[in-house]
Amino acid sequence: VGFLSDQLKSIDLALALARRANLPGADDLVKQNFQRLFTSGQYKEAAELAADSPQGILRTKETVESFKRVPAQAGVQSPLLVYFGRILTTSSLNEFESVELGKLVVAQKKKNLLDKWYQEKKLAPSEELGNLFKDEQDWDNALDIYKAIGASGRIVEVLAAKGDFEQLMTYTRSSGASPDYAFLLQKLMMDNPDAAVNLAKMVVRQPGVQMDLNTIADLFLQRNMVKEATAFLLDALQDDDPKHAALQTKVIEINLLTNPQVADAILANGTMTHYDKPRIAQLCEKAGLYMRALQLYSDLSDIKRVIVNTHAIEPAALTEFFGTLSAEWALECLKILLESNMQQNLSIVVDVAKEYTEQLTAGKIIELLESHESYPGLYFYLGSRIAFSEDPEEHFKYIEAAAKTGQVKEVERVTRESNFYPPERVKTFLMEANLPDARPLINVCDRHDMVHDLTKYLHEKGMQRYIEGYVQKVSPQKTPAVVGALLDVDADDEFVKNLILSVRSLVPVDDLVDEVESRNKLGLLTPLLEQLVSEGSKDPKVHNALGKILIDSNNNPEHFLTTNPYYESAVVGKFAERRDPGLACIAYKRGQCDDELVECSSKHAMFKLQARYIVDRQDMDLWTKVLTEDNPNRRQLIDQVVSTALPECKNPEQVSVAVKAFMAAELQTELIELLEKIVLNNTSFSNNHNLQNLLVITAIKSDPSRVKDYILRLDNFDGPAVGEIAVGYELFEEAFEIYRKFGLKSDAVKVLLENIGDLNRAHEFATKIDEPEVWAELANSYLAAGQLGEAIAAYLRASNPSKWTDVIAKAKEVGEYKDVPKYLLMVRKKITDPTIDTELVYAYARNQDLASLEEFVAGPNSANLLTAGDAAFKEEIYDAARLIYSKIPNWGKLASTLVKLHEYQQAVDAARKANSAKCWKEVCYACVEENEFKLAQLCALNIIVTADDLAEISAFYQERGHTEQLISLLESGIGLEKAHMGIFTELGSLYARFKPEKLMEHLKLFSTRINVPQLIRICEERELWKELTFLYVQYDEYDNALGVMISHSSTAWEHIQFKDVAVKVKAAETLYKGITFYLDEHPDLLNDLLKVIEARIDHSRVVEIMKRAGQLALVKQYLLGVQKNNLSAVNEALNELFIAEEDPEALRESITTYDNFDQLELAASLEQHELTEFRRLSALIYKKNLKWKKAVALAKADKLYKDAMETAAQSEDADLAEDLLRYFIDEDVPECFAACLYTCYDLIRPDVALELAWKNKMMDTVMPYMIQTMKDLTTKVDLLMKDRREAQEASKAGEEERKAQEQAANAYLHLNSYLALPGAQPTSNGPGFGGPPQL
């Protein structure tokens, strides 16, 4: 380009070549040409030249500014647009151009073009371009640009403005950026307040951010952003932490000052509880949030001051607030409400009182309202309670309040419906209140029987119409009380009459009569009664009253009393008594008023009338009453009955009732007089069967001297019944005469036998009569007297078998059986019963009549031989019992009998046939008692096969000291087919007690067939430790077995057995006891034991035990075996042993293979060891723990230079290696210096090595190292140069390829294709650049 322009003077060709190939060298030419075109007004060409200028020499800020200053021309395209369009067509814009074009497009509201160019990578990213996108709130493109240029602060700002705080936190963590959140918040507060709030929320939640809540809140409040500050603080303080109390107060305070409704909502939410409540309460009060102030104030004076603002408080909320106060405070507040404005606050006070009556108590509420004379309040409050309250005081106060507030209808309703008000107080109050309506008072007095007071009050107040209304409509039944009250106050008789007639049939006549009668005014009722009777009234009370008037006026009362069927006799009779007792008795008789008539007639000595009435009544109850001993007039009445009433009587039933009454009253003498007069005096009742019976019986009971005379004179009485009664009254001779008179022979002999008790007289009577029934009765008496022979003889004469059971019972009782067989032989001919034959067999046995017995049992019979045999056996009649049991046969019973007869061999044979445990036991025990042990063993072998019987047999033998025989028995028993565990166990128990030398053999032979727990207990008692150990092993109680071997090693311990048991124990502590035991008693076998239990024990604890005992070396073999587990305690123990044994090789092997021990402690302990090898091991340990300097120092101290050099090389510490070089120089060991150079070749700096060698005249020593170093450096440089050339070639090829691609991508021919208004020119604003072009 320079050649063409300078030498050939071909300016155009030089420019064209420079532009096409983008070559340098034509800078001045391009600038000159641009100035020429711009000055000549060829702006388009100048713009194209600037856009295509080589190396972009004209694409500067000055060029763009010059195009901006070109005035707009109509119809001509702006050179600035040509410039940008040309560049976009051929390449992309640089940073400044991108920003300028962006401003131009954004100003024209065509941001979509900017988005498209950026996506096509036509714009160069820069912070200004990102800001342009950010200003348009295109967060994604802005974020992409900031990321491209690495503007971390802007990234954070965009993410915050975008509200993507999760990505913001991720970015800050991954990039390590520490944004200035304070600045970022302040910026967002101006641009995007909502985003600022969200960012603030994120900041306080992000760990490691040094911004407290107060600072952030102040940032918001400094800009008067109360809403945003509130939103932030509500989120940040939601955990309600006490340390944020000041902030809670602040957020509520600022809202109370600016927006009280928000503060009210915050307080209502209840998420903050630690704010300054007194302060907030004051602010709430000032802001008019009185309800909140009340909730926050805790002082009663404050609450009383605020609570009066009821005009600004929701009543429901205020009512609810009262629920938070104590009863005393609540009452104080209610009081202040009433005092401040009762009319306005009354409804609230009443509502509170209704809601919290239980807490405040109704009494105090009523007292409060009364003290302020708030009767409307009382009325409304009590009105809500009156329906369910049962407190009389509340009902009274409600009535009082209703009356004083003019609620007369309510007073009337309550007095009518309530059952709980105090009637006397209410009556008094209503009378004093003088209500215009008397109905409430009427209700009270009517319901509580205060009619007299009511009538008197109404009469005094001149309220006669209420009196009439009361008796006519309210309570006609209380008319008598009203009439009585009116009569008491001297009311007009005419008014009273008319009042009575107005009620007529509704009035209770009886009560009315009483009221009027008590005041001597019965005449007032005459018109009413006559009117009622004429109307056909059958009411007894009406007729009672009319009868009283007739009796009182003596107007033919007898006719009324006898003919009127409606009056009540008792009532009218009672009235007539005081006037005429005769009339009273007429009334009483008509109504059968027995008590009244008897009383009246007795009172007036009218006994004849009384006797006739009682006989006529035929009422036993009435007779009982008048014949009682308490009746002082009984004698007079009896005289009238005997002399007058009964003789006049023609009705047998009346006589019968009277007699029964005398009998019931036990008036025997009087009854006899009565009956003699009736029966013996030839009356119509003389031959009466019942009366004759009664006369004789009464005489028997009360006058026995007359009985025989009556028996002779009377023939129509009941002989058997009277005879029985005579016997009952011990009149035996009279009874005997009665029975003999009436032919009752059996009853007669019974009297002789049972009552008179004369057997001889009875025997004479029986011989004279000679009847079976009489002999039978006599036999019964003989039997009862114990004269069995005479009784049996009498039974045989009577041929009576019925008493055979009694005969047998008596024979058993007296033990006399001589005559019994004769009687039983007679009986069995008439009665077939096995019991008879059985008793006959027993009788033969008792009589020792074995021949007859054998003959009888051999013949046909139905006897129960077993029962008879048992009875004979019980009576020890063993020969007879054997005969009977043999006949049955019953081998068990026979065996028992033979035992009693001491025939043991035969008893064993019988027991074998019986084959029952009970029988075997009986025979066995008997044989043992007689020392017949062989026979006893035969029996016992059949017994011990039953487990339940074995213990009994064993105890029996042992109690008698026959242990040898018992052992022999059990030794025989274990061979039985039915031998069970109990036999083997019992034999083992016996061996343990008496033959311990045989026990072990027995246990080994029968270990599976014995009860191990039982034998364990026995062996413990007998101290058989070896056998006990064996049993514990068999019972899988390995811990106990091991414990026994340890505790009693002298007899129980065996090494092989101990090892076998040790591996099976469950408790680890037992193993450690075993280890201690071996350590004390068998240390030579300890390793063998430890090897066996290796998997079951804690090796660290074993080491501790050995250390404590000072015998660690004793278990070295065991420790070597378990070191593979790499346990710290084991490793340290072995290391101690190796050190003590001065075995460095073993120690080296240990510390190299197993690293679980305190390495530094071991190294420190080996530092001062007298043996070099141990000190080398110390250095080795330091080296393994990266204590390089310590390891090198130890090697240098022992002049182990090779170890020192290897350690320095392994440390990769250049300073350590160079110090080692200096040490070798100081020690004047040039050969070690040279060796160190090669050993630490990679760590030693060449200049240090050369300097040290030159200073110490060791250049020959260092020269081989330097030669090697130079060679390595040369090799590295050559490699670097080669890599650089390859990189340059690759870069050049890539550049050429890029340019080719740019030239080929000519997708933009003109900028107008991107603009919506082609041909528009920038407007001029005077000279220079007038403003942004209009696209």
Side-chain angles (χ1 to χ4, degrees):
V1 174
F3 175 76
L4 290 174
S5 61
D6 295 337
Q7 300 297 327
L8 299 180
K9 304 298 184 182
S10 180
I11 304 301
D12 293 336
L13 181 60
L15 289 172
L17 180 61
R19 290 173 62 186
R20 175 164 299 189
N22 194 25
L23 297 175
D27 297 354
D28 294 337
L29 293 175
V30 173
K31 292 179 180 178
Q32 292 174 5
N33 193 25
F34 174 77
Q35 289 296 334
R36 180 179 59 78
L37 292 173
F38 191 85
T39 304
S40 63
Q42 295 177 302
Y43 299 122
K44 179 180 179 182
E45 291 77 4
E48 292 175 352
L49 174 62
D52 297 336
S53 60
Q55 301 292 316
I57 59 174
L58 291 178
R59 291 175 61 181
T60 62
K61 182 177 181 181
E62 290 77 8
T63 302
V64 173
E65 291 296 332
S66 63
F67 286 140
K68 285 183 178 180
R69 290 193 293 270
V70 174
Q73 298 179 12
V76 179
Q77 192 174 24
S78 168
L80 187 60
L81 297 181
V82 174
Y83 173 74
F84 287 136
R86 185 78 173 185
I87 297 172
L88 290 173
T89 303
T90 57
S91 61
S92 59
L93 304 180
N94 57 29
E95 293 181 3
F96 173 73
E97 293 167 344
S98 299
V99 173
E100 290 298 328
L101 179 60
K103 292 178 179 178
L104 191 63
V105 172
V106 169
Q108 295 297 323
K109 308 298 182 184
K110 301 293 178 62
K111 181 182 167 294
N112 59 319
L113 295 176
L114 197 63
D115 296 338
K116 182 177 180 182
W117 291 332
Y118 180 71
Q119 295 300 325
E120 293 174 351
K121 301 190 183 302
K122 295 295 184 179
L123 305 178
S126 64
E127 186 172 347
E128 291 80 1
L129 183 62
N131 293 341
L132 198 59
F133 278 104
K134 180 173 71 68
D135 293 341
E136 292 298 316
Q137 296 188 356
D138 186 351
W139 311 117
D140 293 333
N141 282 331
L143 186 63
D144 191 44
I145 292 171
Y146 291 145
K147 287 182 178 180
I149 64 175
S152 60
R154 292 294 187 180
I155 293 173
V156 172
E157 183 179 342
V158 170
L159 289 173
K162 185 180 178 182
D164 192 351
F165 300 109
E166 183 176 353
Q167 187 176 354
L168 175 59
M169 295 175 67
T170 303
Y171 173 75
T172 55
R173 284 196 298 268
S174 61
S175 64
S178 299
D180 186 352
Y181 286 113
F183 172 76
L184 190 58
L185 279 171
Q186 294 180 51
K187 185 169 180 56
L188 286 176
M189 288 175 189
M190 293 184 292
D191 300 338
N192 190 346
D194 292 337
V197 173
N198 293 331
L199 177 61
K201 293 177 181 178
M202 185 276 292
V203 167
V204 298
R205 287 195 294 267
Q206 186 171 1
V209 178
Q210 300 299 320
M211 286 192 71
D212 61 4
L213 298 177
N214 202 31
T215 302
I216 298 174
D218 288 342
L219 290 175
F220 282 108
L221 296 176
Q222 288 169 5
R223 290 163 177 76
N224 200 26
M225 300 172 69
V226 176
K227 176 182 177 183
E228 289 75 10
T230 302
F232 161 68
L233 288 173
L234 288 177
D235 181 78
L237 301 177
Q238 60 185 353
D239 57 349
D240 195 24
D241 194 329
K243 67 183 181 182
H244 295 148
L247 284 174
Q248 291 183 3
T249 305
K250 177 181 288 187
V251 69
I252 300 172
E253 182 178 354
I254 57 175
N255 281 284
L256 283 171
L257 296 174
T258 58
N259 194 345
Q261 289 74 20
V262 174
D264 187 42
I266 294 173
L267 292 170
N269 194 29
T271 56
M272 300 181 187
T273 60
H274 301 290
Y275 53 85
D276 185 351
K277 291 181 175 60
R279 170 65 177 160
I280 298 303
Q282 292 176 1
L283 294 175
C284 287
E285 183 180 356
K286 291 179 180 178
L289 299 178
Y290 299 114
M291 191 64 245
R292 297 297 174 198
L294 287 174
Q295 293 170 348
L296 297 176
Y297 275 132
S298 58
D299 187 76
L300 180 60
S301 60
D302 294 329
I303 295 174
K304 290 167 69 175
R305 184 183 66 254
V306 175
I307 205 168
V308 297
N309 298 288
T310 53
H311 63 282
I313 302 176
E314 182 68 28
L318 185 56
T319 302
E320 184 179 353
F321 167 73
F322 269 90
T324 64
L325 300 177
S326 65
E328 294 76 10
W329 284 24
L331 289 170
E332 286 293 324
C333 291
L334 292 176
K335 180 179 179 182
I336 199 68
L337 287 176
L338 291 173
E339 291 174 351
S340 62
N341 191 337
M342 182 184 297
Q343 183 176 0
Q344 175 180 308
N345 299 332
L346 184 59
S347 62
I348 295 175
V349 172
V350 171
D351 289 343
V352 171
K354 289 178 183 178
E355 185 69 23
Y356 303 109
T357 296
E358 184 176 352
Q359 293 85 350
L360 303 179
T361 71
K364 291 185 178 180
I365 294 172
I366 294 172
E367 181 182 352
L368 174 67
L369 294 171
E370 280 188 323
S371 65
H372 292 81
E373 297 183 355
S374 178
Y375 293 106
L378 268 176
Y379 174 71
F380 290 119
Y381 167 66
L382 293 174
S384 65
R385 293 182 48 79
I386 203 70
F388 54 86
S389 173
E390 297 181 3
D391 186 354
E393 185 66 19
E394 292 186 21
H395 284 257
F396 173 72
K397 292 297 182 182
Y398 182 67
I399 293 171
E400 183 182 27
K404 291 186 177 181
T405 54
Q407 303 294 330
V408 178
K409 289 185 178 180
E410 184 65 12
V411 176
E412 189 276 331
R413 182 191 69 80
V414 175
T415 55
R416 174 166 36 86
E417 297 179 358
S418 174
N419 296 319
F420 304 106
Y421 58 80
E424 189 63 36
R425 290 179 63 193
V426 173
K427 180 200 73 173
T428 303
F429 167 74
L430 291 176
M431 286 181 176
E432 293 174 354
N434 289 321
L435 297 178
D437 190 345
R439 285 179 297 170
L441 180 61
I442 291 174
N443 290 338
V444 174
C445 295
D446 177 61
R447 294 182 63 193
H448 298 91
D449 295 328
M450 294 184 285
V451 178
H452 189 277
D453 295 339
L454 171 66
T455 306
K456 183 178 180 181
Y457 173 81
L458 295 176
H459 183 267
E460 290 175 354
K461 297 296 181 181
M463 296 181 173
Q464 279 76 11
R465 66 183 184 89
Y466 279 105
I467 298 175
E468 294 174 352
Y470 174 66
V471 299
Q472 293 171 4
K473 299 179 181 179
V474 179
S475 292
Q477 67 275 13
K478 294 187 178 179
T479 302
V482 174
V483 170
L486 289 173
L487 293 176
D488 289 342
V489 296
D490 298 327
D492 182 53
D493 288 350
E494 194 64 29
F495 173 74
V496 175
K497 285 183 181 180
N498 293 333
L499 183 66
I500 295 172
L501 290 173
S502 67
V503 182
R504 299 182 62 186
S505 60
L506 298 178
V507 66
V509 177
D510 197 29
D511 295 338
L512 183 62
V513 170
D514 290 342
E515 293 288 341
V516 177
E517 181 183 357
S518 64
R519 294 167 176 80
N520 297 318
K521 292 281 188 176
L522 272 176
L524 291 174
L525 302 181
T526 303
L528 170 66
L529 298 176
E530 291 177 346
Q531 185 177 3
L532 292 175
V533 171
S534 64
E535 292 175 355
S537 173
K538 296 180 180 181
D539 186 355
K541 294 179 175 55
V542 172
H543 292 271
N544 290 346
L546 187 59
K548 289 178 180 180
I549 293 173
L550 293 174
I551 292 171
D552 203 30
S553 61
N554 197 21
N555 186 9
N556 194 16
E558 294 85 353
H559 179 266
F560 175 85
L561 294 175
T562 55
T563 59
N564 189 296
Y566 304 116
Y567 72 89
E568 292 176 323
S569 298
V571 174
V572 176
K574 186 70 175 176
F575 179 80
E577 266 192 53
R578 298 190 301 271
R579 293 160 177 80
D580 187 345
L583 294 177
C585 289
I586 293 173
Y588 289 145
K589 182 177 181 181
R590 174 259 185 192
Q592 295 187 352
C593 301
D594 300 335
D595 295 339
E596 291 82 352
L597 188 144
V598 169
E599 182 181 357
C600 180
S601 59
S602 298
K603 182 178 180 181
H604 297 91
M606 303 169 68
F607 297 111
K608 185 178 291 186
L609 185 150
Q610 184 182 125
R612 288 170 178 168
Y613 173 76
I614 292 171
V615 170
D616 289 341
R617 281 282 286 123
Q618 303 179 42
D619 188 336
M620 283 298 298
D621 293 336
L622 179 58
W623 275 108
T624 302
K625 290 179 182 178
V626 298
L627 293 179
T628 181
E629 293 181 3
D630 297 335
N631 185 5
N633 304 308
R634 183 174 70 170
R635 184 69 256 178
Q636 293 91 321
L637 174 64
I638 292 174
D639 292 343
Q640 291 298 325
V641 170
V642 173
S643 62
T644 305
L646 282 179
E648 293 176 355
C649 180
K650 301 298 181 181
N651 187 350
E653 189 63 31
Q654 292 178 348
V655 174
S656 175
V657 171
V659 170
K660 289 179 181 178
F662 275 74
M663 291 173 62
E666 298 181 356
L667 299 171
Q668 305 297 334
T669 303
E670 291 82 356
L671 180 61
I672 290 175
E673 294 175 5
L674 176 64
L675 291 175
E676 283 185 345
K677 192 168 185 179
I678 296 174
V679 175
L680 299 180
N681 291 340
N682 296 320
T683 66
S684 58
F685 302 104
S686 296
N687 203 34
N688 187 283
H689 174 74
N690 293 329
L691 292 178
Q692 287 190 12
N693 285 338
L694 185 59
L695 178 59
V696 176
I697 292 170
T698 305
I700 290 172
K701 292 180 179 179
S702 60
D703 193 357
S705 61
R706 299 184 183 186
V707 175
K708 280 193 177 182
D709 181 51
Y710 290 157
I711 293 172
L712 295 175
R713 293 177 64 183
L714 300 175
D715 297 320
N716 197 23
F717 62 91
D718 188 348
V722 173
E724 185 176 352
I725 294 172
V727 171
Y729 281 86
E730 299 182 356
L731 300 178
F732 304 125
E733 293 294 341
E734 287 82 353
F736 178 73
E737 292 297 332
I738 292 171
Y739 287 139
R740 190 166 63 171
K741 181 176 181 177
F742 284 90
L744 302 173
K745 300 172 184 177
S746 177
D747 292 331
V749 76
K750 282 183 181 179
V751 171
L752 291 174
L753 293 170
E754 297 176 2
N755 303 118
I756 298 176
D758 190 344
L759 288 174
N760 294 328
R761 186 176 171 187
H763 188 272
E764 292 175 1
F765 181 75
T767 304
K768 181 178 180 181
I769 299 300
D770 195 21
E771 292 185 1
E773 294 81 3
V774 176
W775 282 114
E777 291 294 336
L778 181 59
N780 292 337
S781 296
Y782 277 132
L783 187 64
Q787 300 179 20
L788 186 60
E790 291 79 357
I792 291 174
Y795 279 131
L796 289 174
R797 291 195 66 175
S799 189
N800 185 353
S802 62
K803 297 295 182 177
W804 63 271
T805 55
D806 296 337
V807 171
I808 292 170
K810 181 59 71 173
K812 290 180 180 179
E813 180 183 343
V814 300
E816 182 182 341
Y817 280 86
K818 179 180 179 181
D819 297 322
V820 171
K822 293 186 294 184
Y823 176 69
L824 292 179
L825 287 172
M826 181 273 290
V827 172
R828 74 188 297 266
K829 292 178 182 178
K830 296 184 178 183
I831 300 174
T832 302
D833 191 324
T835 306
I836 297 172
D837 289 357
T838 303
E839 293 297 333
L840 182 56
V841 170
Y842 178 69
Y844 283 138
R846 286 295 302 269
N847 293 331
Q848 294 289 335
D849 190 356
L850 299 181
S852 299
L853 173 61
E854 186 173 3
E855 179 185 356
F856 180 79
V857 298
N861 65 83
S862 60
N864 187 335
L865 296 178
L866 180 60
T867 302
D870 290 345
F873 183 87
K874 184 177 180 181
E875 296 292 333
E876 299 182 358
I877 312 171
Y878 298 124
D879 290 324
R882 177 171 62 175
L883 192 152
I884 296 171
Y885 288 144
S886 298
K887 178 63 179 177
I888 295 176
N890 188 318
W891 304 114
K893 299 284 187 176
L894 180 59
S896 300
T897 305
L898 291 171
V899 165
K900 297 295 183 181
L901 294 172
H902 300 284
E903 298 177 6
Y904 297 111
Q905 182 62 53
Q906 296 178 26
V908 171
D909 295 338
R912 184 178 293 109
K913 293 177 181 178
N915 196 25
S916 73
K918 180 179 179 183
C919 182
W920 282 120
K921 284 186 202 177
E922 184 177 359
V923 177
C924 175
Y925 295 160
C927 292
V928 171
E929 295 289 359
E930 295 295 327
N931 294 329
E932 293 286 344
F933 294 115
K934 290 185 177 180
L935 294 176
Q937 183 169 325
L938 288 175
C939 298
L941 288 174
N942 291 280
I943 301 172
I944 62 176
V945 294
T946 303
D948 295 338
D949 298 328
L950 174 61
E952 184 180 344
I953 291 293
S954 177
F956 186 84
Y957 270 85
Q958 292 184 59
E959 286 171 2
R960 289 154 181 79
H962 303 313
T963 55
E964 287 290 340
Q965 290 77 12
L966 178 59
I967 291 173
S968 175
L969 167 64
L970 295 180
E971 287 176 344
S972 300
I974 61 176
L976 296 175
E977 182 180 353
K978 295 182 179 179
H980 52 81
M981 180 181 288
I983 298 175
F984 294 94
T985 304
E986 187 65 26
L987 182 57
S989 174
L990 292 171
Y991 281 150
R993 291 187 176 94
F994 307 109
K995 292 186 178 182
E997 67 277 2
K998 287 188 174 184
L999 179 58
M1000 181 57 79
E1001 180 183 0
H1002 178 70
L1003 295 178
K1004 290 180 178 179
L1005 289 174
F1006 306 110
S1007 60
T1008 60
R1009 304 195 66 179
I1010 60 177
N1011 186 335
V1012 176
Q1014 183 176 341
L1015 282 180
I1016 285 175
R1017 186 172 61 255
I1018 294 171
C1019 288
E1020 285 179 345
E1021 294 173 358
R1022 310 302 297 182
E1023 298 184 357
L1024 301 175
W1025 308 119
K1026 190 175 183 70
E1027 291 79 0
L1028 180 60
T1029 302
F1030 178 82
L1031 289 172
Y1032 275 135
V1033 172
Q1034 293 300 315
Y1035 200 53
D1036 295 340
E1037 292 284 348
Y1038 301 111
D1039 296 75
N1040 291 335
L1042 210 66
V1044 172
M1045 284 191 279
I1046 292 171
S1047 302
H1048 308 283
S1049 59
S1050 59
T1051 57
W1053 175 79
E1054 287 182 4
H1055 179 56
I1056 302 301
Q1057 186 182 29
F1058 196 96
K1059 290 195 299 181
D1060 292 341
V1061 173
V1063 297
K1064 299 176 182 177
V1065 298
K1066 298 178 181 177
E1069 285 299 322
T1070 306
L1071 292 176
Y1072 300 124
K1073 291 179 182 177
I1075 293 171
T1076 304
F1077 163 69
Y1078 263 72
L1079 182 61
D1080 294 339
E1081 298 191 14
H1082 305 286
D1084 55 325
L1085 299 175
L1086 181 56
N1087 278 297
D1088 189 23
L1089 174 65
L1090 291 172
K1091 182 178 181 182
V1092 171
I1093 62 175
E1094 174 183 322
R1096 301 288 310 282
I1097 57 178
D1098 182 358
H1099 306 304
S1100 300
R1101 185 168 177 180
V1102 174
V1103 171
E1104 182 183 352
I1105 293 171
M1106 293 300 123
K1107 282 185 176 180
R1108 197 162 50 242
Q1111 298 294 335
L1112 194 59
L1114 188 63
V1115 293
K1116 177 180 178 183
Q1117 181 182 352
Y1118 153 73
L1119 294 174
L1120 289 172
V1122 300
Q1123 193 179 15
K1124 59 181 178 291
N1125 298 317
N1126 196 22
L1127 298 175
S1128 173
V1130 175
N1131 292 338
E1132 291 176 355
L1134 278 173
N1135 292 342
E1136 289 181 17
L1137 288 176
F1138 294 147
I1139 294 171
E1141 295 172 356
E1142 296 185 351
D1143 188 352
E1145 293 304 322
L1147 181 58
R1148 179 184 295 276
E1149 178 68 21
S1150 174
I1151 63 178
T1152 303
T1153 307
Y1154 308 106
D1155 58 354
N1156 187 11
F1157 60 92
D1158 191 341
Q1159 299 190 17
L1160 296 180
E1161 182 181 356
L1162 179 59
S1165 66
L1166 293 175
E1167 279 187 37
Q1168 305 301 324
H1169 201 281
E1170 60 185 5
L1171 296 182
T1172 304
E1173 284 302 317
F1174 284 107
R1175 295 198 296 274
R1176 290 187 68 192
L1177 291 177
S1178 176
L1180 175 62
I1181 295 171
Y1182 280 130
K1183 185 165 63 175
K1184 288 178 66 177
N1185 286 275
L1186 307 182
K1187 303 292 184 181
W1188 307 108
K1189 291 183 179 180
K1190 194 73 173 174
V1192 170
L1194 285 175
K1196 289 192 295 185
D1198 288 332
K1199 299 188 180 300
L1200 301 173
Y1201 298 136
K1202 181 180 179 182
D1203 291 352
M1205 288 184 282
E1206 290 175 352
T1207 302
Q1210 292 175 12
S1211 71
E1212 298 181 357
D1213 187 346
D1215 293 337
L1216 185 61
E1218 291 171 357
D1219 288 342
L1220 187 57
L1221 278 179
R1222 294 184 180 91
Y1223 172 76
F1224 288 142
I1225 291 174
D1226 294 339
E1227 293 294 321
D1228 194 19
V1229 283
E1231 61 278 6
C1232 290
F1233 180 84
C1236 185
L1237 290 173
Y1238 283 98
T1239 303
C1240 304
Y1241 178 78
D1242 294 330
L1243 303 176
I1244 297 174
R1245 292 172 290 177
D1247 58 328
V1248 174
L1250 187 60
E1251 179 184 358
L1252 290 174
W1254 178 70
K1255 285 182 177 180
N1256 294 282
K1257 298 180 181 181
M1258 298 174 67
M1259 292 299 295
D1260 292 339
T1261 303
V1262 80
M1263 190 53 65
Y1265 164 76
M1266 294 304 299
I1267 293 170
Q1268 182 63 40
T1269 300
M1270 293 302 295
K1271 184 178 184 308
D1272 290 344
L1273 289 173
T1274 304
T1275 302
K1276 291 178 181 178
V1277 170
D1278 291 342
L1279 289 173
L1280 289 173
M1281 294 302 294
K1282 181 180 178 182
D1283 292 342
R1284 183 179 182 185
R1285 285 195 301 271
E1286 292 175 354
Q1288 288 178 346
E1289 291 174 0
S1291 177
K1292 184 176 181 182
E1295 184 67 23
E1296 291 176 354
E1297 183 179 357
R1298 184 180 63 77
K1299 288 182 178 180
Q1301 290 177 352
E1302 288 179 355
Q1303 291 176 0
N1306 191 11
Y1308 301 92
L1309 298 177
H1310 202 275
L1311 181 61
N1312 290 336
S1313 61
Y1314 295 93
L1315 305 177
L1317 299 174
Q1321 299 294 325
T1323 58
S1324 175
N1325 190 17
F1329 183 70
Q1334 299 297 318
L1335 300 184

